[in-house]
Amino acid sequence: MSSKTVTRMDLAEAVYHEVGLTRKAAQDLVDQVIEELCKVLEKGETLKISTFGNFSVRSKRQRVGRNPKTGVEVPIAPRKVLSFRASHILKDRMNGSKK
Amino acid sequence: MTKSELIQKLSSNHPDLRADDLEKLVNTIFEEITTTLAEGGRVELRGFGAFSVRERAARKGRNPRTGVAVSVPAKRVPFFKTGKELRTRINK
């Protein structure tokens, strides 16, 4: 089992090998894809990537939090969070299925 | 937005590129992330977020309908942590 960390650069390298593009173009396009994903989520839109999973933006209400060190109560402002729900295909592949 | 809508969007931004190459590009990105997670690795995309693997221990579960106890085996699940930049952008 490897513990390597894959970055944008590794994705660009994989794209370079799969698609007939220059390394530079592969890198730019990987960046553009990721930026497009960010833009969609920024709008609050759900992102559905079949076989991979769904990203959705959820709204959290205001609640009372507490500083764990001092015990002082502080309000936590309403905010939006991004949640990722993996597809069964991804989960299965992480647990030994070759599909 | 779905994956095919994403490919269409990229295609309209890049009339110079073939739509099937762009499809291959998008598929390669998600396939690479999937393979890495399947191998127990981690994917970190600055500005977007990081995917990692979390271990779930085996546990005794119960069929909620019949109440029959079943043992749920240990498994690995994907975990996504939103990047700082994207978190800020979502809350703008």
Side-chain angles (χ1 to χ4, degrees):
Chain A
M1 187 175 301
S2 69
S3 55
K4 59 168 183 179
T5 296
V6 166
T7 62
R8 285 174 187 247
M9 259 216 306
D10 301 297
L11 295 183
E13 191 65 19
V15 166
Y16 169 72
H17 288 291
E18 285 297 320
V19 189
L21 295 165
T22 63
R23 273 206 168 80
K24 177 80 175 78
Q27 220 167 59
D28 287 348
L29 283 160
V30 166
D31 286 341
Q32 281 172 44
V33 169
I34 296 170
E35 178 53 29
E36 198 54 51
L37 304 180
C38 290
K39 274 189 190 153
V40 169
L41 297 168
E42 197 177 2
K43 284 190 280 181
E45 214 184 298
T46 297
L47 186 63
K48 296 179 178 184
I49 307 294
S50 69
T51 77
F52 187 76
N54 296 347
F55 295 88
S56 57
V57 178
R58 294 205 289 214
S59 296
K60 296 277 187 185
R61 282 182 304 180
Q62 175 172 346
R63 64 186 170 91
V64 177
R66 202 182 285 274
N67 180 327
K69 204 172 279 176
T70 61
V72 179
E73 284 189 355
V74 283
I76 296 176
R79 66 200 203 286
K80 288 177 181 162
V81 294
L82 174 58
S83 77
F84 172 62
R85 196 154 185 257
S87 75
H88 279 284
I89 298 170
L90 173 57
K91 287 185 195 165
D92 288 348
R93 285 203 35 197
M94 290 178 66
N95 288 282
S97 163
K98 291 226 165 58
K99 258 187 285 175
Chain B
M1 182 186 257
T2 62
K3 189 167 78 178
S4 50
E5 286 164 350
L6 169 67
I7 294 162
Q8 277 168 26
K9 180 80 204 293
L10 291 166
S11 197
S12 66
N13 291 347
H14 289 279
D16 52 317
L17 295 173
R18 292 163 49 120
D20 53 343
D21 276 346
L22 289 169
E23 185 177 355
K24 219 176 186 183
L25 168 109
V26 170
N27 285 334
T28 304
I29 291 175
F30 290 106
E31 179 55 33
E32 195 62 18
I33 300 174
T34 302
T35 317
T36 306
L37 293 174
E39 288 167 356
R42 183 184 150 80
V43 180
E44 201 176 300
L45 305 172
R46 287 284 156 85
F48 185 71
F51 297 91
S52 57
V53 180
R54 299 231 161 149
E55 309 277 345
R56 293 273 179 271
R59 63 188 168 84
K60 287 271 183 287
R62 208 172 270 282
N63 181 325
R65 194 171 300 173
T66 63
V68 177
V70 285
S71 56
V72 181
K75 62 182 171 200
R76 301 198 297 177
V77 294
F79 177 77
F80 175 72
K81 184 166 193 276
T82 313
K84 242 182 252 161
E85 197 189 310
L86 182 54
R87 208 185 314 145
T88 328
R89 285 175 68 175
I90 282 173
N91 278 290
K92 255 202 326 234

